[in-house]
Amino acid sequence: MSLEMVLVTPLFVAFLLLLAGAGRMVDAQSQVDGAARDAVRAASIARSAPSAQELAAETAAAGLRGNDWCSGGPTVQTDVSRWMPGGSVGVTITCDVDLGDLSFIGLPGSKRMRGTAIAPIDTFSFRGTDPDPDPDPGGGTEPGGLDPGGAP
């Protein structure tokens, strides 16, 4: 019985470590997919293509913050080639999962995970540009030539 235990224990431990590596990869893929989904949602409500790219990068970084398995941090690519009313925006997040501590059981040192999400741009709320930081540079008159008091 002790001989059987000596022979089976290393196989059992290796199997458990393989399960741990598979679990780490499944969890990482789930988190990368979730970060891509959140990033594309943030990008889809932006007012311009450049701000969509910024919002997507900020949201993806916030969604994957605190994870030590993503070596080098996430890489975010935002596709704004169809940025128009009724168009779409896409976000792809790439992250390398560090598996170096499990490489002795045959797993690679790292595994690249990629999450992609696409969201539509609303046809009726599309504005196409960032708001003007100074909407009244001429001073005193509202659009249409009226001053704030209502006189022409």
Side-chain angles (χ1 to χ4, degrees):
M1 178 108 157
S2 59
L3 179 63
E4 290 172 356
M5 197 61 130
V6 167
L7 294 175
V8 172
T9 300
L11 293 175
F12 184 67
V13 170
F15 178 71
L16 288 177
L17 291 174
L18 186 66
L19 283 178
R24 187 180 299 174
M25 288 190 289
V26 167
D27 181 49
Q29 184 65 53
S30 174
Q31 289 187 31
V32 169
D33 287 342
R37 182 194 62 237
D38 295 344
V40 79
R41 176 67 183 133
S44 73
I45 60 174
R47 291 184 173 262
S48 68
S51 66
Q53 292 171 329
E54 291 174 22
L55 282 172
E58 291 171 6
T59 305
L64 294 174
R65 187 173 295 130
N67 294 326
D68 56 350
W69 50 261
C70 186
S71 57
T75 303
V76 181
Q77 297 172 334
T78 306
D79 178 18
V80 291
S81 62
R82 297 196 61 225
W83 187 263
M84 64 187 86
S88 63
V89 62
V91 173
T92 301
I93 298 177
T94 307
C95 192
D96 293 328
V97 178
D98 183 22
L99 299 171
D101 57 341
L102 299 172
S103 63
F104 66 92
I105 61 168
L107 292 176
S110 68
K111 173 92 171 126
R112 180 160 289 179
M113 297 293 174
R114 179 171 287 133
T116 302
I118 299 172
I121 298 172
D122 188 18
T123 303
F124 301 107
S125 67
F126 177 80
R127 290 171 181 78
T129 60
D130 285 326
D132 187 9
D134 186 12
D136 190 17
T141 59
E142 293 293 320
L146 298 176
D147 71 7

